[in-house]
Amino acid sequence: MAPPKIVILTGAGISRESGLHTFRDPDGIWARHRIEEVATPEAFARNPALVQGFYNARRAQLRDPAIRPNAAHDALAELDASWPEGRFLLVTQNVDDLHDRAGSRRLLHMHGELAKARCLRCAAISPAPGDLTPESACPECGGTGTLRPHVVWFGEMPIGMERIEAALAECDLFVSIGTSGAVYPAAGFVREVRHRADTLELNLEPSEGSHLFDEARHGPATQLVPAFVRETLARWG
Ligand code: APR
């Protein structure tokens, strides 16, 4: 029997033990910032400098040597490297680069990436210069004041949905890691697959969708994810 086709979804909880805040925990990002001020297209149109500043601060964190992939990111990269072609996809809601730095290859950032900027004039996506300012110039078209964070804001379409839907349509095993299940479309993925795929939630505490999973294990990602990967490789590797 061929190894299962696996789709993994991660959220901010997988990066918590690397030192990055989640969004909805008591010490989370939305406890200190208002979404409508820093994470919508209207907010950017109204006050680009404020929005750029919010993302510049989060991008600066990624340059902090103390912020690096943890055992959960590393375990998923190992699973990716060990799994057959065409039978694995890691979809992350996170805009940090910890999965990339851990070595995950079959990785899709559905909410974009902090490390990248997008040009409002030519749509080019390029590495974000240190800090984005309203005067930053696009390296492709040279336009100035045209760069925005390459991050999906509330009210915008996620990235890669066709590829995600295709993977979900075929998957045999869906694993949700470190996400509260509060934001769609990611929160709805388990509903799309649960009638025909095995579903597993690995989260610090029950999420809004825990009841929809065949199995839910609760604890820190750095413990649950390596154990899940070891178990999966032992069974199928
Ligand atoms: N290990 C595992 N899970 C953890 C850990 C940990 N160490 N710490 C926290 N968690 C869990 C929390 O219990 C919570 O269920 O991670 C989840 C984080 O939930 P949110 O803060 O809502 O983050 P997320 O689900 O990724 O948010 C989804 O919302 O604001 C938007 O675009 C943003 O991508 C984000 C989306």
Side-chain angles (χ1 to χ4, degrees):
M1 190 175 166
K5 290 189 175 183
I6 302 178
V7 174
I8 293 180
L9 171 69
T10 61
I14 199 169
S15 298
R16 187 67 193 86
E17 291 162 90
S18 292
L20 293 178
H21 281 110
T22 62
F23 291 94
R24 293 172 185 80
D25 285 324
D27 64 348
I29 292 172
W30 299 143
R32 287 172 282 123
H33 299 274
R34 291 165 52 82
I35 289 173
E36 52 277 8
E37 285 177 358
V38 294
T40 68
E42 295 76 15
F44 186 67
R46 187 170 54 244
N47 190 338
L50 175 71
V51 173
Q52 300 284 29
F54 171 68
Y55 287 96
N56 289 341
R58 291 178 61 202
R59 193 176 300 114
Q61 272 194 301
L62 299 186
R63 295 194 291 270
D64 175 347
I67 306 279
R68 52 184 174 276
N70 62 50
H73 298 103
D74 293 341
L76 293 183
E78 182 192 357
L79 182 58
D80 183 354
S82 316
W83 218 247
E85 206 45 50
R87 307 183 80 83
F88 182 89
L89 179 64
L90 169 53
V91 180
T92 187
Q93 299 172 93
N94 299 341
V95 293
D96 66 53
D97 59 354
L98 297 180
H99 282 307
D100 310 73
R101 287 163 56 191
S104 283
R105 293 276 168 271
R106 291 177 278 184
L107 168 63
L108 196 159
H109 283 271
M110 66 180 289
H111 288 167
E113 299 172 71
L114 265 181
K116 294 180 180 170
R118 190 189 324 158
C119 181
L120 294 169
R121 193 166 90 166
C122 71
I125 295 167
S126 51
D131 281 351
L132 281 177
T133 71
E135 293 71 45
S136 296
C138 169
E140 294 297 318
C141 71
T144 54
T146 60
L147 291 187
R148 62 165 275 181
H150 178 52
V151 169
V152 176
W153 285 323
F154 285 88
E156 295 186 319
M157 272 304 288
I159 294 163
M161 285 308 292
E162 259 184 58
R163 185 175 168 205
I164 295 170
E165 295 296 351
L168 291 173
E170 295 184 330
C171 92
D172 310 302
L173 173 58
F174 176 73
V175 186
S176 176
I177 302 171
T179 181
S180 61
V183 175
Y184 287 79
F189 291 168
V190 62
R191 280 189 184 82
E192 288 185 47
V193 303
R194 62 193 293 258
H195 59 287
R196 67 177 142 66
D198 294 333
T199 54
L200 170 64
E201 178 180 75
L202 306 177
N203 207 58
L204 188 65
E205 56 202 11
S207 73
E208 293 187 27
S210 290
H211 63 287
L212 297 168
F213 288 83
D214 298 321
E215 185 187 357
R217 299 177 193 169
H218 297 135
T222 54
Q223 289 173 24
L224 295 181
V225 179
F228 159 72
V229 169
R230 274 195 303 276
E231 174 190 302
T232 304
L233 290 176
R235 181 169 173 200
W236 300 95

